[in-house]
Amino acid sequence: MESPVEIVQHTAGGAIGVSWLMIAFPLLGAAILLVLGRKTDRWGHLLGVAMSLASFVVAVLAFFELLGLSAEQRRQAVHLYEFIPGMADMGLLIDPLSISFALLITGVGSLIHIYSIGYMSHDPDRRRFFSYLNLFVAAMLLLVLADNYVGLFIGWEGVGLASYLLIGFWQFKPSAAVAAKKAFVVNRVGDFGLLVGMFIMWSATGTFAFAELSEKAGGLSQPMVTAIGLLLLLGACGKSAQLPLQSWLLDAMEGPTPVSALIHAATMVTAGVYLVVRSGAFFFPEGSPQALAVAIVGAATLLAGAIIGCAKDDIKKGLAGSTMSQIGYMMLGAGLGPAGYAFAIGHLITHGFFKADMFLGAGSVMHGMNDEVDMRKYGALRKYMPITFVTFIIGYLAIIGFPLLSGYFTKDGIIETAVEHNQVLGWLAVVGAGITGFYMSRMIFMTFFGEKRWAEDAHPHESPTVMTVPLIVLSIGSIFLGGYLILSNRLMLWLAPAVGRPEELPTFHFASTPGLATLALVAVGAAYAWMKYGRAEVPAVQPRGSFLTTFARRDLYGDALNESLFMRPGQWLTRIAVFFDNRGIDGVVNGLAAGIGGTSGRLRRIQTGFARTYALSILIGAALLTGALLLVGNI
Amino acid sequence: MTAHYLVLSGLLFAIGAMGVLIRRNAIVVFMCVELMLNACNLAFVTFARQNGNLEGQIIAFFVMVVAAAEVVVGLAIIVTIFRTRRSASVDDANLLKY
């Protein structure tokens, strides 16, 4: 196995020297749009797109500059300033891994910015939407470019904030406000894991920087590394919607569709995969229990997401289930060590393309159907939205792993590596691929084929050019990118300086056993979907369905579980605390005051105002004193 | 020898105290207070005689001075109360209470 190369300090100028501009551009855009407010309503969206594109240009320039360096020089650290003296310096790490992410974020992000011009054109708050999008891009870039965990954490929280703002963008809808809150709270659970992991990291090694950790992490004891790894995995689960912190992602579809495409499919939810791969060399050594935990979480989530996707009638929620499932594949790949990293990142990149393509396609369908999301009210749309149909089909073929399309290469790579490392997890991934074939075909048949089941006032039409062009660009990526990255191991060799690689480079088998089994299962799934939803009529009202269908419709009872396990006990706890506060603490305080008040109320009755009474009490007192002195004697 | 004086002093004190407690007229109460003071003076002088020194007698002089000052202030108060309320009963002046 080859380890990652040393990180070198960048001294020359060039695009890498000014790579902080990547973050600065969108951050500036967000600041201008938010500070100037309504004054920028007319041109705000154009500024947002320009800032995102400027960031993309810097990323491309830095990418080419990095390509020009030799493999040993491809990890360039750019020092920016001293952030917390003695603890963390703010700096950027430009290496193949971070620049790949930066290209995906700014590239797909820019396309989604452009698409949003059309999608949000009727929204009075379009300028605010673009400011949040820019804020998100800036935070996500900080997350992937930072050269230490502190910077990563700031970006991590920044995307959490942007995600919260964008899910709740239509905050007048109670469901959107609730979904935003839920995403925020569930993400906090993950952030807790990341933070505690960082605390342990600091106390054990005294550094947050990737460059120093690669030297010091080797000296840590095994349980310490496992603890940090598992805590980082908890953080990754929160951000990437993996079991058991998956519940927020399906509700997050309340946000505008471009948000679902950008944040909840292409970029933000992949931050967990980034975290695992980036920390791989320090905290997830190959074959360690925490790496196995990553793979198990991935395998469990890819099945759970696929099962949920089978029963959803809301097109966006169906896609959200599939996102969960695909990120599960990436996690599975990331849990396999350097052999799986390239496939996990490859799947992440191709998934960024085809899932954004399909989400934006779904947005295009909704745009033409008066924001209807129920697939039972679609049908036969292929004739009315030809461009959306073709691009969606390409994304669909890519995600189910149709041979020679993007998803085929990257997903197959993960499955084959998984089967090599761990038979059980590998074959579970094969089964997941079969289910993917079913639910994605179901979506296609219900939306584009069959009879019209539209609402009466629906007049489907193709979306404007500003929306279809991003779809076309994304679908082209969905066709070719996977083959380009995986065949002849281009991505693995490119990423090797950053994440390491196995000694022996894998060769791509077109006819391996797991690969053929996957294809067969996908075909069976698609055929079953055609029988149920293509040939047979789709009922306009959701049928009751079997126990399993209800199980999937209710998100595998994830919400019910959270409610009974955490929410109800939490409510009981607060009720007990309130009771104790009211009766216990307030009772003591109030009781003391009332007791003193009552006693003094009685005591003051002694003050009668009759001088003779006082005289009597003085006499009695004097007599008692005298008597006491006599008793004591000796006066 | 001097026991009779002390007995007389005790009797006078008891009469004074009783008067303070049971009489209502402020003037009489006041006179009873004077009676108690003089009973004390008698006791002091007796003890001075008993012990053969002058300290008790000196104290008696002090008590007389204080009693004179007290009479001045006390009588002024009683006269003022009588003027405002047309009554010199100590029980009627009972407003200063809870």
Side-chain angles (χ1 to χ4, degrees), chain A residues 412-611:
Chain A
D412 201 60
I414 293 175
I415 290 175
E416 280 187 34
T417 319
V419 170
E420 270 172 38
H421 280 74
N422 189 324
Q423 292 274 343
V424 180
L425 297 181
W427 286 104
L428 283 178
V430 173
V431 173
I435 306 177
T436 309
F438 170 72
Y439 71 77
M440 287 312 298
S441 310
R442 171 177 178 270
M443 192 177 287
I444 290 289
F445 291 132
M446 284 176 86
T447 306
F448 293 107
F449 293 88
E451 297 297 313
K452 296 176 188 173
R453 300 180 301 275
W454 308 341
E456 279 173 19
D457 55 345
H459 304 288
H461 55 85
E462 188 54 272
S463 299
T465 323
V466 73
M467 288 167 71
T468 51
V469 168
L471 286 177
I472 294 167
V473 176
L474 287 169
S475 60
I476 291 172
S478 310
I479 298 176
F480 298 112
L481 209 53
Y484 180 78
L485 294 175
I486 300 302
L487 288 177
S488 62
N489 290 308
R490 275 195 193 86
L491 187 66
M492 186 171 279
L493 291 171
W494 159 246
L495 288 177
V499 299
R501 68 171 172 87
E503 197 63 59
E504 198 179 330
L505 284 174
T507 43
F508 193 85
H509 303 289
F510 282 94
S512 64
T513 322
L516 289 178
T518 307
L519 280 182
L521 272 177
V522 167
V524 169
Y528 184 59
W530 182 75
M531 269 166 50
K532 277 202 78 165
Y533 300 98
R535 198 179 54 181
E537 200 150 303
V538 179
V541 181
Q542 194 177 45
R544 245 184 106 233
S546 66
F547 163 72
L548 262 177
T549 319
T550 321
F551 186 52
R553 255 181 219 152
R554 304 276 305 273
D555 305 343
L556 311 184
Y557 294 110
D559 283 342
L561 194 75
N562 283 345
E563 197 176 305
S564 54
L565 224 57
F566 301 109
M567 201 186 97
R568 299 275 167 226
Q571 281 179 338
W572 278 111
L573 199 69
T574 55
R575 263 181 227 161
I576 291 169
V578 166
F579 181 81
F580 182 71
D581 189 43
N582 281 346
R583 297 294 167 84
I585 295 177
D586 287 8
V588 168
V589 172
N590 291 343
L592 201 65
I596 291 174
T599 318
S600 59
R602 278 184 202 97
L603 272 179
R604 69 181 186 174
R605 296 274 157 194
I606 296 169
Q607 301 255 319
T608 54
F610 292 112

Side-chain angles (χ1 to χ4, degrees), chain A residues 140-169:
Chain A
M140 187 71 197
L141 284 169
L142 177 62
L143 196 168
V144 298
L145 291 175
D147 74 343
N148 59 70
Y149 280 98
V150 176
L152 182 147
F153 183 75
I154 296 170
W156 189 271
E157 291 302 307
V159 294
L161 169 69
S163 160
Y164 166 79
L165 291 171
L166 285 166
I167 295 171
F169 184 73

Side-chain angles (χ1 to χ4, degrees), chain A residues 604-617 619, chain B residues 13 17 20-24 90-91 93-98:
Chain A
R604 69 181 186 174
R605 296 274 157 194
I606 296 169
Q607 301 255 319
T608 54
F610 292 112
R612 294 188 297 152
T613 321
Y614 304 154
L616 181 63
S617 57
L619 184 69
Chain B
F13 190 89
V20 170
L21 290 180
I22 59 177
R23 299 302 296 258
R24 291 210 183 96
V90 285
D91 287 2
N94 65 351
L95 287 180
L96 191 65
K97 59 182 175 187
Y98 51 82

